[in-house]
Amino acid sequence: MPDKITLFENKKIRSLWVESEEEWYFSVVDVLGALTDSPNPRKYWSVLKTRLKAEGNQPATNCSRLKMPAADGKMRLTDAASTEQLLRIIQSVPSPKAEPFKLWLAHVGAERIEETTDPELAIDRAFETYLKKGYTKEWIHQRLLSIRIRNDLTAEWDSRGVKRGVEYAILTDEITKAWAGMTTRQYKNFKGLKKENLRDNMSDLELVLNMLAEATTTEVSKKVKPENFEENRQAARTGGEAAGDARKAVEARTGKPVINRQTAIDFTTVIELVGKIDTEDEDS
């Protein structure tokens, strides 16, 4: 993917999408320059990195060295941080411009603790977040149902000894490939997505068929009781194929493909969320 330059309060922030990791990386020097107005952000980062390492914060300082366009137009190696690393670094920046990010992180952390005590809060907040992004109430209800169906499937996988992470991803790919004709990554690429959630970018019909595929996989698994990963894989294919047959039937009757390039109306970025929280604090 080509390098991308975004703006943060009129300051250029170099960023790079790493396809193999499905992760955005941001130039640490650029972000620190924007947040601190330091005349020498490279030196600022050097001092901050030394301090963070002394404090034992290795995850935040173990940044990747990636090639990004320099001021002279040449591609040069620079420290680049993932979103998680970047937010941790920002926590250590004593600057008024960093405060909205710190407030946002505290706000999110408090919400997650509350949701641990009362999980229903997570559902309510998810509904409100989708509304703010421009989704219809009807679509949101379907999306929340899809989350329950997915949870039922993962609970079934857990009971069959499927490991979270790589094995989950492989089985999900098998289901998606069987009903949609492409892997999850290929599906995302078709829609022009990167980190965005694929289900959040599905039309009503795509979402319904994806739910059918996962719900059917759960029922197939309960019936055949797979004892190893390959048997779970076959159950995933069988469940996906049922929804694939339904997709083909719909396409035959409507004369148009179910899989389309439609994506969500709007995606609220972390920076926009931070700005909104900061404005609300000023108004209160």
Side-chain angles (χ1 to χ4, degrees):
M1 292 294 294
D3 295 312
K4 178 184 176 185
I5 293 179
T6 56
L7 294 175
F8 178 71
E9 292 190 353
N10 297 319
K11 300 290 181 69
K12 291 181 178 180
I13 307 295
R14 290 169 293 170
S15 58
L16 179 68
W17 171 255
V18 178
E19 184 75 28
S20 60
E21 298 180 31
E22 295 192 7
E23 185 71 70
W24 278 108
Y25 281 86
F26 305 87
S27 166
V28 178
V29 170
D30 290 355
V31 172
L32 292 178
L35 289 177
T36 66
D37 291 324
S38 169
N40 192 340
R42 291 186 185 282
K43 184 176 180 180
Y44 188 101
W45 171 228
S46 178
V47 173
L48 179 60
K49 183 161 55 173
T50 300
R51 177 166 66 80
L52 289 173
K53 282 183 178 179
E55 294 172 354
N57 193 340
Q58 295 296 328
T61 55
N62 287 342
C63 296
S64 300
R65 296 279 292 172
L66 300 176
K67 283 189 175 183
M68 294 186 177
D72 60 6
K74 294 182 179 180
M75 300 296 289
R76 301 186 186 280
L77 288 171
T78 187
D79 278 354
S82 66
T83 303
E84 183 177 350
Q85 287 176 310
L86 194 61
L87 289 172
R88 181 60 189 89
I89 291 168
I90 290 171
Q91 284 179 311
S92 300
V93 176
S95 165
K97 291 184 178 180
E99 284 307 306
F101 289 91
K102 296 177 185 179
L103 288 171
W104 178 77
L105 287 169
H107 179 78
V108 171
E111 285 188 342
R112 295 301 172 269
I113 293 172
E114 290 172 353
E115 289 164 8
T116 301
T117 306
D118 185 1
E120 189 175 335
L121 289 172
I123 298 172
D124 294 340
R125 284 169 179 152
F127 194 93
E128 290 300 317
T129 298
Y130 281 123
L131 276 178
K132 289 174 183 176
K133 287 185 174 184
Y135 293 96
T136 64
K137 289 183 179 180
E138 293 76 17
W139 185 94
I140 297 170
H141 285 302
Q142 282 194 116
R143 181 68 180 95
L144 295 179
L145 176 59
S146 78
I147 293 171
R148 184 181 69 76
I149 288 172
R150 176 68 180 182
N151 288 340
D152 288 345
L153 175 59
T154 56
E156 174 64 17
W157 282 346
D158 285 342
S159 73
R160 303 298 171 193
V162 177
K163 296 183 179 66
R164 292 176 180 267
V166 175
E167 290 189 352
Y168 268 36
I170 292 171
L171 295 185
T172 300
D173 268 350
E174 290 290 352
I175 295 171
T176 308
K177 199 161 37 173
W179 86 260
M182 61 187 91
T183 65
T184 305
R185 183 67 258 172
Q186 289 169 338
Y187 203 159
K188 279 189 164 188
N189 289 342
F190 177 74
K191 285 181 173 284
L193 304 175
K194 292 182 172 63
K195 287 288 282 186
E196 301 94 335
N197 187 292
L198 177 58
R199 292 174 181 82
D200 284 353
N201 289 274
M202 288 182 174
S203 65
D204 288 345
L205 197 48
E206 287 174 294
L207 195 56
V208 166
L209 288 170
N210 192 71
M211 285 192 283
L212 175 61
E214 295 193 329
T216 305
T217 299
T218 301
E219 293 306 311
V220 169
S221 179
K222 288 178 179 178
K223 180 181 179 181
V224 302
K225 297 179 174 57
E227 296 181 357
N228 54 54
F229 183 71
E230 282 308 312
E231 290 180 1
N232 276 289
R233 199 168 189 166
Q234 183 55 52
R237 288 195 198 104
T238 302
E241 285 166 0
D245 291 341
R247 174 180 65 82
K248 291 169 187 173
V250 170
E251 290 176 340
R253 285 162 175 76
T254 63
K256 59 183 181 180
V258 168
I259 309 299
N260 60 73
R261 297 183 187 275
Q262 176 185 343
T263 57
I265 298 169
D266 170 58
F267 289 105
T268 307
T269 64
V270 167
I271 289 177
E272 288 171 336
L273 283 171
V274 171
K276 186 177 186 303
I277 291 171
D278 191 37
T279 302
E280 289 174 348
D281 290 340
E282 291 176 354
D283 293 340
S284 60

